[in-house]
Amino acid sequence: MQKQRPLTAPRVVVLGGGYAGTLAALRLAPHARVTLVDPADRFTERVRQHELAAGRADITHSRTALLRGTGVRAVTARATALDPEARTVATDDGRTLGYDRLVYALGSGTGAAPDPRAFTPETAAELHKRLQDGPGTLAVAGGGLTGIELAAELAEARPDWRVRLLTAGVLGAGLSARGRDHVRTVLGRLGVRTEEGHRVTDGTDADVLVWAGAMVPATGLAREAGLAVEESGRIAVDAALRSRSHPDIYVAGDAAAAHAPAAGALRMACATALPTGSHAATALLAETRGTEPPPFGYRFFVQCVSLGRRDGLIQAVRADDTPYERILTGRAAARTKETVVRSAYGVLRLARRRPGAARLLPWVG
């Protein structure tokens, strides 16, 4: 059972119960009075959304079970307003939550599709239901890793549907030449027709369109509250992941315009959500104890791509996420990808039992 914290422990509100926010909350729990605000009562493994679309039964976990015994107070509601001057957060169920420090970890979502009827990774469950009405033609718009995973997974799981992958640029632009060649080979083997240089502006002639365009940070609440936001739409932060305009607010995950000396600007990903969530907790505790928060340090290691259940791509990358030509493919890559995905949630389970242990993992820090 979690022992009671002293009343002098800082009040910390964490906005967002994804990978970054949950890890920050769990790491802070022994040292602060933590309230985690999220509209869902279950934790979703966002990195499995393509699997859910293809028929996986569930990609969620009980938030109550994950937080049980930690002392973290879960508020199942949506934050509707942030007042940095009063240090309060308003929620859609009528609550006003006060804080001494805040962690903003509301993440990101898929950008608006040109066709309002399009499905997105966030509506994967509805997409799966729609595919039961097949067969037909399906177009995935977006040639990044999300679009690639969706096209491969759906083509493998639903061979009765004719799948196209449309991208305005180069397929898998962040991969090496060998990596892109492998992706094209596997997609072709699965029957996916890839069309590069194809910009979707107002829908397609497909029966179903799945929009997997660029991610957009969920920083509307921050903008309305007056926090400084960069041109990218992400919140401007210092080296310790504090808001540059409101240093009592720490930012983690996709909402943060985070940089690291070795990695440069961080892309939006689960791989960067966990380390920024962990570091936000470390920096916040240091600052509340009267010491200088340490700067955020991180380097990229690999990019992991699933290509259905029996193939994949593990792309070796430099510290700044640029690719080497070294790759791992086939079933070994598929198993490695699955191990990585499981370990992401495993970090949260570890932090529940041993809050300080997560920061000892080299890829979390």
Side-chain angles (χ1 to χ4, degrees):
M1 190 73 178
Q2 181 74 36
K3 68 179 182 179
Q4 189 69 32
R5 290 157 204 77
L7 294 178
T8 54
R11 299 171 302 160
V12 178
V13 170
V14 178
L15 298 183
Y19 291 100
T22 302
L23 183 54
L26 290 169
R27 288 221 40 232
L28 288 166
H31 315 284
R33 291 173 286 161
V34 181
T35 300
L36 176 64
V37 181
D38 192 277
D41 62 357
R42 296 184 68 80
F43 175 87
T44 297
E45 292 187 83
R46 283 185 64 187
V47 290
R48 292 194 188 273
Q49 287 172 326
H50 57 290
E51 298 177 42
L52 183 64
R56 187 183 180 101
D58 191 16
I59 60 170
T60 68
H61 304 271
S62 167
R63 196 181 303 282
T64 299
L66 182 59
L67 299 180
R68 184 177 295 123
T70 66
V72 175
R73 173 193 177 200
V75 172
T76 304
R78 187 179 304 278
T80 56
L82 169 61
D83 186 340
E85 303 307 318
R87 292 188 175 181
T88 59
V89 173
T91 62
D92 62 359
D93 62 355
R95 305 188 210 200
T96 299
L97 307 172
Y99 66 84
D100 299 308
R101 296 292 183 273
L102 182 132
V103 178
Y104 192 108
L106 290 177
S108 64
T110 306
D115 186 338
R117 298 168 299 174
F119 294 89
T120 66
E122 291 82 4
T123 58
E126 290 79 3
L127 171 59
H128 174 65
K129 293 177 183 177
R130 171 64 182 85
L131 295 181
Q132 306 311 304
D133 300 330
T137 59
L138 182 149
V140 177
L145 303 188
T146 300
I148 290 170
E149 291 191 328
L150 273 165
E153 198 80 31
L154 294 173
E156 180 183 83
R158 299 304 306 257
D160 52 328
W161 282 80
R162 298 187 303 279
V163 180
R164 298 156 62 201
L165 178 55
L166 316 177
T167 176
V170 176
L171 182 69
L175 303 174
S176 66
R178 289 184 65 200
R180 286 193 296 273
D181 286 346
H182 182 69
V183 169
R184 290 191 180 101
T185 297
V186 175
L187 290 176
R189 186 169 69 237
L190 292 171
V192 178
R193 192 176 83 195
T194 301
E195 301 176 29
E196 296 175 284
H198 186 136
R199 183 179 296 277
V200 177
T201 56
D202 56 359
T204 71
D205 57 355
D207 297 313
V208 172
L209 173 63
V210 183
W211 182 253
M215 303 298 289
V216 177
T219 52
L221 200 67
R223 289 176 182 273
E224 293 171 5
L227 273 68
V229 176
E230 293 194 352
E231 188 176 347
S232 65
R234 304 169 86 178
I235 299 170
V237 296
D238 65 11
L241 302 183
R242 293 176 295 195
S243 162
R244 288 194 178 276
S245 58
H246 297 78
D248 55 344
I249 296 176
Y250 289 76
V251 192
D254 292 352
H259 294 72
L266 269 61
R267 58 181 166 87
M268 299 184 192
C270 170
T272 53
L274 288 170
T276 54
S278 178
H279 185 82
T282 296
L284 188 156
L285 290 174
E287 184 253 322
T288 57
R289 291 167 178 168
T291 61
E292 184 64 23
F296 176 63
Y298 180 74
R299 60 148 295 156
F300 289 98
F301 295 93
V302 294
Q303 293 183 24
C304 302
V305 190
S306 65
L307 299 170
R309 295 297 86 202
R310 295 183 290 275
D311 209 325
L313 170 68
I314 307 301
Q315 172 70 69
V317 298
R318 300 176 180 86
D320 64 355
D321 206 30
T322 55
Y324 292 109
E325 285 298 327
R326 188 167 63 252
I327 61 174
L328 176 68
T329 62
R331 289 185 180 272
R335 288 193 295 269
T336 301
K337 164 74 173 183
E338 176 60 23
T339 298
V340 170
V341 171
R342 288 185 181 183
S343 68
Y345 185 68
V347 168
L348 301 181
R349 296 179 64 187
L350 173 64
R352 175 181 178 270
R353 299 190 306 272
R354 299 179 58 195
R359 65 185 296 268
L360 302 179
L361 299 172
W363 52 280
V364 176

